[in-house]
Amino acid sequence: MDFEFSAEQQQLKEQARRYLADKCPTTAVRAILEGSDPFDRALWQGLGEMGFLGAAIPEEYGGLGLGYLELCVIAEELGRALAPVPVSSSIFLVAEILKAAGSEEQKQRWLPKLASGEVIGTLASVEATGSVRPSNVALSAKAGTLTGAKSPVLDGDIADIAIVLARHAPGKDAQGLSLYLVDLNQSGIERTVLDTIDPSRSQAKIAFKDAAAELVGAAGDGWRLYEEALDRAAILTGFEQIGGADKALEMGRDYALQRFAFGRAIGSFQAIKHMLADMYVSATLARSNGYFGAYALSTGSADLAEAAATMRVSSTKAFQHCAKNNIQVHGGMGFTWAMDCHLYYRRSNLLAVSLGGLNEWEDKLIDRLRAKNAA
Amino acid sequence: MDFEFSAEQQQLKEQARRYLADKCPTTAVRAILEGSDPFDRALWQGLGEMGFLGAAIPEEYGGLGLGYLELCVIAEELGRALAPVPVSSSIFLVAEILKAAGSEEQKQRWLPKLASGEVIGTLASVEATGSVRPSNVALSAKAGTLTGAKSPVLDGDIADIAIVLARHAPGKDAQGLSLYLVDLNQSGIERTVLDTIDPSRSQAKIAFKDAAAELVGAAGDGWRLYEEALDRAAILTGFEQIGGADKALEMGRDYALQRFAFGRAIGSFQAIKHMLADMYVSATLARSNGYFGAYALSTGSADLAEAAATMRVSSTKAFQHCAKNNIQVHGGMGFTWAMDCHLYYRRSNLLAVSLGGLNEWEDKLIDRLRAKNAA
Amino acid sequence: MNFDDTPHEAAFRAEARAWIDANAPKHLLPHLEKAGFGGIELGGLDPMKEAKAWQKKKYDAGWACLHWPKEYGGRGASPIERVIWNQEEGPYAALSGSFIIGHGMCGPTVMDWGPEEAKRELLPRLAAGEDIWCQLFSEPAGGSDLAGLRTKAERDGDDWVINGQKIWTSGAHYSQWGILITRTDPDVPKHKGLTMFFLRMDTPGVRIVPIKQANGQSGFNEVYFDNVRLPDSQRLGGVGEGWKVSLTTLMNERLSIGSGMSAGFPDIFEFCKELELADGTLAINDRGVRSKLAEWACRQSGLKYTGMRAISALSRGENPGPENSIGKLVAGSSLQEIAMFALDLQGQAGAVSDPKLAAMAAKFQAQLLRSPATRVEGGTDEILRNIIGERVLGLPDDMRADKGIAFNKIPTA
Amino acid sequence: MNFDDTPHEAAFRAEARAWIDANAPKHLLPHLEKAGFGGIELGGLDPMKEAKAWQKKKYDAGWACLHWPKEYGGRGASPIERVIWNQEEGPYAALSGSFIIGHGMCGPTVMDWGPEEAKRELLPRLAAGEDIWCQLFSEPAGGSDLAGLRTKAERDGDDWVINGQKIWTSGAHYSQWGILITRTDPDVPKHKGLTMFFLRMDTPGVRIVPIKQANGQSGFNEVYFDNVRLPDSQRLGGVGEGWKVSLTTLMNERLSIGSGMSAGFPDIFEFCKELELADGTLAINDRGVRSKLAEWACRQSGLKYTGMRAISALSRGENPGPENSIGKLVAGSSLQEIAMFALDLQGQAGAVSDPKLAAMAAKFQAQLLRSPATRVEGGTDEILRNIIGERVLGLPDDMRADKGIAFNKIPTA
């Protein structure tokens, strides 16, 4: 048994950490949060050049041809650094869907550009408040064009292409749904940037009017492909969340060591010490569940769906818990704009809903445990 | 506004507390828990003689003719003392149902004896694991007789009479249910004492075979009367729970003051101090909700159903929380048979299910808030 | 056990209600009823101007600072009359946010410790809303450890010279006056070397810098003191008595913070009645949702009736018990839990914070970003648990590393 | 990242599996697989006799105490081989409950600190299951504060005379030997005046009284020492070195407690698949139930994979990280929450604890009454959080009222 990342993978992780410490300190995150740029272009380009974006994309399509485990350790570091770049949309979702279901032509055309960062992709699925389900996907696909709107779309303002969950056959059921690839730089597209809780990752509404689109995967397979893509993304995003949780815990720990009140470091008070201990517990549970997620993803295990839901629930709670209590450890300082605590708090709450809320994933987890148990 | 018990009611409470401190120290509770007697007969008789049992029973039926507020303060003290007597079954449920729906003859016959303690009553409703609902009440009433079984029945081994929720018309619906009064000292009755988590309150299975029974209230009104009785009992039992929670909090506080570790009282450690503070918070919320319950009960307010569900959820959680953490404050000592902590822990968990579980009351609470909101 | 007024209370309530009905700015009501996190918005009108107008009107008719003595601009009313007034003023009270610190904390402190002349001159102006006051207490180095403050006041002839920095001063930027706690003797234990003053906020050497909060708003300030010179006549209480004086302020702060706080249940209840879940059922019908709603409902009503118990005690002429100390502790974490849960139910749309697009005008998104402050301001959750443990339950103090040690010898790193 | 054995590990596993398959008491398997709270029940057979038989069989074949050196009765196996053995032994390990303290804690302590002669004589008997050992550490006055112990040992010629009382001594009533920590010098700070011994439990003056626990069972004892006389040759480590010696024991205890603990999810999952709720749906389909199940499922799998990470570290020849310290903390509260929730779902029937009548053979009722002990034994939740905070996260110690103070001067009331 070796339930740990290999020495090479850990080196890659170290390399990513050093790279991000240099190119993506929190001042860079703040620049996006506060400024008008929707994402950090230089960082994005650099991640492409370093091969981080294409780590799990085959060499024949312009990637490094490493595997999911390598992408997991990179994701963790991106989460730790709060990297203000569209990796989750472009790589965890769009590149993954193309790898799984794209035609040879689609792969050849888009994967190399996604790997280099030249093209940014996003997944557009949401049309209503609440969970995405077949009955509330109405955007319509007819004769190679899409008409309707998706909102919010993470990185929708900056993406060059989108994979869109659309309805090709009338009705409310999953069989009428397919995935379409759309070039967003065409006239039938209108985008509106949205205010969100975490402006370090931009979001938009995208309106489609007779926009040219091509099918990805078979017609009628849209819902299945979408759900499978969410599972893989849940594990990769889960590593972002683990990275964020760990960093929030470290920030809290460091502050508790350095800040004195009543003549002693506040970390010597049990109220603070035990709060940090509980943060460590949730972060550790999430990491361990994450390792199983990484294992399942990298081996294509039959447990992948269960592992994805487990990790999603575990890592979402851990990051929210750590980010929230990191502010509490910092007291009033934690609530200033100037301190970085709120950056982690914002991101933790963005990632908590970015692939659908906890309540949806809890449901999936129990469904999957039951299916396995029945099998 | 006077959102407080009156001076007279507080005197009554003091009187009950002194009486129970004298007649029902925890050694008396323990005697029932450990011994073969199913309840404390002497205490029961005393409570009848003092008028505590008949506090809310009209004078014309042998009670003191006081009101619900008086019964609430007595209930709180009974809960505080963990009184090992069938007050909740005999008074909070059976006397209440007879007051609300009994015929004049039934009231005259039974209420005086219930008030004096000469007769013990109980409510028999449960036939299956889980919540009681019309569809799982099968015990059948035919031609003035009952056949079937109820289990568990709190105080079912010691009761002289039972009010039984039974099905007079076939089917699964509520309209087919009525309440029946049964003399348990007849040949058609067979009782089996059950092992439970809190042997200081005994329980039994009661099997009925062509047992003579008489209707209480109108035929078909059984379910409504049953639910209304549960609401009133939830408030009265809620006061038992508040009393228990307060006592568990006090025990924890006192131990934390007296027990030294590492050269200081353990109550000076924030881990213990904050645990006790949180116990205080939940006990206080429950008490305040309880005051509203008492108000609603005593005035027959339209908010009674909402107040009952609110108090049930709040006081159940508070007693469980305080009893559980009182053990934790006591550490290993808290887990010995010799210390009284487990008596409160057992009782808190008995009362948490004795009128149906939290999940049922949460449901009722939201239904009721919604109905009010819609009105 | 009843909710009825005594005859005297009923008469007072009727009088208050009639006056409010005749005089309140009813045109502002629709805006005031929507007031939530982040101050009030009055459809383009200047909130400060409207607030001052309403306050002056109340003052002129004898309805300002009801519990203050008449000679200082109040009404000499009983505590329960004050409560009744608050109930009747209802949403219009939202106009008075800027006066809370002055009326609730600074005024009572000056009243107890200030020179008579200053009291007669300044307190009526404060009651009338002509002046706004702020409270200069917290410092960067002393948050929960208030007495660890470092801003120093040094005697120079008849004056004092102040140097240092305060933080979290709410409303400093629109205040005319402030009360200020300083260290006048660093060689004695920390609680013993403090002295309190009052000062005009435009005194030379005072510099106010707004703090941008984590949610992007700025209600608080840093205030810097650079050789600020105050006459000794602006001292409150004796030299070295500052801690005792500050306790007047803090006691009044605790009375006001947390009492009547909402735990946030009504909003999430409303939201769940409308939202459809994945399986097509309304959220309110989902047992997972219900279980959480039930918990929050019980906290909400528990706080409400805890407040009523306190009011009843006032009504009987007693001091309220310690129960009220639970208000902010319960409300703070509830508000945060509710916000997170509401976003979760909204799914990916939960991240959108534009009030024109997001459910319930983005109330939960604002609450998510504001609620961490509620758990800290005016006493962190941890300090509140200490207070409950020590003052309510009588548990021993924490061990003190700074006990009996000269302030300048207390470890700071 | 894989779950595969190395070739060496695979060979070892195959050998272990084959031996177990050929030698294990398979007729006991149905009973052992049902083992839960409250010890094992073997359908009328004597559990102690069966346990000793299985232990002796393992010992004779070289499968006892795998990580001990061969000369003391072990196999000299690597840590990962020990883990593999445990995995393969599976349910049969439930037979060995009475040996855990001896093999896991007492043995290693004697091995590190005992006289060579005693080691050669006693350790093989312990490994073979011929002797059972217990650990005489906790005292009424010192629970979490172990070093606050008061049982005193006084020198008398070549002997020591012991007086005092121990508590929570698991298995004292069936043990032949014990290790005992005593205070030999009350005039020095508390950690410095301790000395450790080993002794036969039938030494004159030793009296064992079972403790009835809150759940009615008796697995623990009080042990009284009344002028118990021990030769100096039964000392472990130097005089005054008892704390250092005890750390060997405690370190080994922490390695075994909590690792591999179940958070209780499988039982509640199973139960919810069967139970019908009020509205006729199965509990497992109820979102309120699901939300709780999901949390417990994540804790269960989180602990499982945390354990695997530790095993992997062993497999690589590293020491496991501190992650394992979370096991008991997470499992204890989960077990209690689950028990309460399961009773709640059972409604009024939830109070019935008769295994013949109650759901899942009354497993949850037993768990309700047993789980409070899990949160205390071998380190309370609060001590574990301190350990995580201090040893894992590197936070400073709590302030110590007893630091550097002679034991007999430490406040005790």
Side-chain angles (χ1 to χ4, degrees), chain D residues 121-281:
Chain D
E121 184 190 332
L122 297 176
L123 292 177
R125 294 181 52 83
L126 170 54
E130 286 162 23
D131 290 340
I132 295 182
W133 286 58
C134 63
Q135 173 192 337
L136 297 147
F137 278 25
S138 289
E139 297 197 4
S144 292
D145 181 13
L146 172 59
L149 62 93
R150 298 178 189 176
T151 294
K152 64 180 176 191
E154 289 163 305
R155 192 83 196 219
D156 182 25
D158 264 2
D159 289 351
W160 294 86
V161 179
I162 320 284
N163 281 286
Q165 183 199 345
K166 296 289 174 180
I167 196 172
W168 301 119
T169 313
S170 185
H173 53 304
Y174 53 66
S175 290
Q176 285 72 48
W177 289 88
I179 60 175
L180 169 70
I181 186 161
T182 64
R183 184 164 305 282
T184 43
D185 186 352
D187 296 319
V188 295
K190 66 181 183 180
H191 292 93
K192 301 197 169 158
L194 305 175
T195 302
M196 188 88 105
F197 298 92
F198 63 98
L199 79 164
R200 284 198 61 91
M201 292 302 287
D202 58 5
T203 308
V206 175
R207 186 164 59 93
I208 297 162
V209 181
I211 299 172
K212 189 170 177 184
Q213 294 152 220
N215 64 347
Q217 300 183 334
S218 295
F220 302 101
N221 302 275
E222 294 175 311
V223 181
Y224 294 88
F225 295 85
D226 182 15
N227 288 319
V228 173
R229 186 167 284 271
L230 301 181
D232 190 52
S233 59
Q234 286 181 215
R235 181 160 43 75
L236 290 169
V239 174
E241 282 192 332
W243 185 249
K244 208 164 123 192
V245 178
S246 78
L247 290 181
T248 307
T249 322
L250 295 176
M251 211 178 59
N252 279 283
E253 180 176 18
R254 297 249 155 71
L255 279 178
S256 62
I257 284 191
S259 69
M261 271 192 84
S262 168
F265 173 73
D267 291 332
I268 187 72
F269 186 58
E270 183 88 11
F271 175 64
C272 289
K273 284 193 292 186
E274 307 292 332
L275 182 76
E276 214 174 272
L277 293 185
D279 57 3
T281 57

Side-chain angles (χ1 to χ4, degrees), chain C residues 151-325:
Chain C
T151 294
K152 66 180 173 189
E154 290 165 305
R155 192 82 194 219
D156 182 23
D158 262 2
D159 290 349
W160 293 86
V161 178
I162 320 284
N163 280 287
Q165 183 199 346
K166 295 289 174 179
I167 197 172
W168 301 120
T169 313
S170 185
H173 54 303
Y174 53 66
S175 291
Q176 285 72 47
W177 289 87
I179 60 175
L180 169 71
I181 186 161
T182 65
R183 181 163 308 281
T184 43
D185 186 353
D187 295 319
V188 295
K190 66 180 182 180
H191 292 92
K192 301 198 169 159
L194 305 176
T195 303
M196 187 88 105
F197 298 92
F198 63 98
L199 79 164
R200 283 199 62 89
M201 292 303 286
D202 57 6
T203 309
V206 175
R207 187 164 58 93
I208 297 162
V209 181
I211 299 172
K212 189 169 177 185
Q213 295 152 218
N215 64 347
Q217 300 182 334
S218 293
F220 302 102
N221 302 275
E222 297 176 309
V223 181
Y224 293 88
F225 295 85
D226 182 15
N227 287 318
V228 173
R229 185 167 285 270
L230 300 181
D232 190 50
S233 59
Q234 286 180 214
R235 182 161 41 76
L236 291 169
V239 174
E241 282 192 333
W243 184 249
K244 208 163 123 193
V245 178
S246 77
L247 290 182
T248 306
T249 322
L250 296 175
M251 210 177 61
N252 280 284
E253 181 175 17
R254 296 247 157 74
L255 280 178
S256 62
I257 285 190
S259 68
M261 271 192 85
S262 168
F265 172 72
D267 291 332
I268 187 74
F269 186 57
E270 176 126 349
F271 175 64
C272 290
K273 285 192 293 187
E274 308 292 333
L275 183 77
E276 214 174 271
L277 293 184
D279 57 2
T281 58
L282 286 176
I284 190 79
N285 288 329
D286 179 89
R287 277 263 310 118
V289 173
R290 286 183 159 217
S291 178
K292 294 198 167 73
L293 287 179
E295 167 67 18
W296 294 320
C298 289
R299 291 192 209 163
Q300 179 87 22
S301 66
L303 288 189
K304 174 180 165 188
Y305 296 120
T306 299
M308 292 203 171
R309 289 168 63 200
I311 293 171
S312 288
L314 285 174
S315 177
R316 289 190 307 273
E318 298 168 10
N319 283 324
E323 298 85 6
N324 250 6
S325 54

Side-chain angles (χ1 to χ4, degrees), chain B residues 156-173:
Chain B
D157 51 337
I158 55 173
D160 302 294
I161 60 172
I163 289 181
V164 181
L165 180 65
R167 183 160 290 288
H168 67 274
K172 295 269 182 189
D173 61 9

Side-chain angles (χ1 to χ4, degrees), chain D residues 91-118:
Chain D
Y92 298 109
L95 276 171
S96 310
S98 326
F99 302 124
I100 289 177
I101 289 171
H103 292 165
M105 298 156 222
C106 304
T109 308
V110 171
M111 214 172 307
D112 279 9
W113 299 94
E116 189 58 29
E117 195 185 314

Side-chain angles (χ1 to χ4, degrees), chain B residues 1 3 273 289 317 373, chain C residues 4 273 295 301 306 312 390:
Chain B
M1 173 184 315
F3 195 57
K273 186 182 290 181
N289 282 323
K317 287 184 178 177
N373 210 258
Chain C
D4 304 334
K273 285 192 293 187
E295 167 67 18
S301 66
T306 299
S312 288
E390 293 166 17

